[in-house]
């Protein structure tokens, strides 16, 4: 099937990527994408990485989670500008992460709890590098927090922590990556 992505369910914001906003209880092919190597879905947006290392996004974009430089929803995949050499993506409720083959992490979208790791709580509608992270091999995103695993086994987390989800022994949010374990 040439690495096609399939989507189904709610489509109010175009998160199925089929060009319309009608819900579907059966799988639909995402428009125009082939050779997909990784996918992620957030609260109402979706992400895909193609074999050439490019990131594509579609769906809700009110917080900039599509990374397109604006806040307009899209019912079809749009290439995320400025990203290449990407191997994986992760999606929170309204934020997005990308992992480069070079071990760098990129973040964009909602940042109300510091989930972008840039030291602020300012939303970003374009990807920005999480500067303090290097040699990362895996990423994950929760509703309003983010995590990264380094090659040496070090685990980092940042963002919302109201239930202790950062694992740092507190319930205080952190807008910077915090080292959890090695």
């Amino acid at each position: 099937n040439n690495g096609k992505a399939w989507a189904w369910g709610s489509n109010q914001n175009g998160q199925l990527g089929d060009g319309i906003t009608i819900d579907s209880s059966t799988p639909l092919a995402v428009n125009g994408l082939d050779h997909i190597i990784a996918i992620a879905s957030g609260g109402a947006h979706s992400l895909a990485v193609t074999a050439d290392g490019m990131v594509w996004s579609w769906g809700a974009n009110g917080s900039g989670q599509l990374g397109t430089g604006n806040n307009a929803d899209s019912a079809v995949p749009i290439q995320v500008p400025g990203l290449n050499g990407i191997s994986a993506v992760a999606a929170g409720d309204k934020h997005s992460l990308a992992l480069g083959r070079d071990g760098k992490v990129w973040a964009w979208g909602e940042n109300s709890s510091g989930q972008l790791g840039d030291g602020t709580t300012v939303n970003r509608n374009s990807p920005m590098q999480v500067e303090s992270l290097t040699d990362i091999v895996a990423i994950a995103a929760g509703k309003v927090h983010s995590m990264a695993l380094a090659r040496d086994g070090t685990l980092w987390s940042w963002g919302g922590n109201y239930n202790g989800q950062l694992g740092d022994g507190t319930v205080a949010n952190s807008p910077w990556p915090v080292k959890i374990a090695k």
Side-chain angles (χ1 to χ4, degrees), residues 132-177:
S132 59
L133 297 176
T134 58
D135 209 21
I136 301 301
V137 296
I139 54 175
K143 183 174 182 177
V144 294
H145 76 291
S146 305
M147 302 185 86
L149 176 66
R151 186 173 312 281
D152 68 1
T154 304
L155 180 63
W156 299 87
S157 64
W158 62 97
N161 198 24
Y162 46 87
N163 290 319
Q165 59 264 50
L166 297 186
D168 64 354
T170 77
V171 290
N173 293 354
S174 177
W176 297 105

Side-chain angles (χ1 to χ4, degrees), residues 63-79:
S63 298
Q65 60 264 49
L66 298 188
T68 55
N70 61 48
N71 291 76
D73 292 357
S74 180
V76 295
I78 300 173
Q79 187 175 338

Side-chain angles (χ1 to χ4, degrees), residues 7-40:
W8 56 96
S10 177
N11 199 21
Q12 179 179 356
N13 300 101
Q15 59 265 45
L16 301 186
D18 63 348
I20 58 177
T21 55
I22 298 171
D23 297 351
S24 178
S25 60
T26 58
L28 303 170
V30 175
N31 279 352
L33 287 184
D34 294 312
H35 308 292
I36 295 171
I37 60 169
I39 57 173

Side-chain angles (χ1 to χ4, degrees), residues 83-147:
L83 289 181
N84 56 57
I86 301 300
S87 61
V89 284
D93 185 38
K94 296 178 183 176
H95 76 288
S96 304
L97 304 174
L99 174 60
R101 294 177 185 144
D102 59 3
K104 294 178 181 172
V105 176
W106 299 84
W108 62 96
E110 183 182 350
N111 198 23
S112 60
S113 298
Q115 60 264 49
L116 301 186
D118 66 352
T120 77
T121 55
V122 176
N123 293 356
R124 309 277 181 189
N125 59 21
S126 296
M128 44 129 310
Q129 186 181 342
V130 183
E131 294 289 342
S132 59
L133 297 176
T134 58
D135 209 21
I136 301 301
V137 296
I139 54 175
K143 183 174 182 177
V144 294
H145 76 291
S146 305
M147 302 185 86

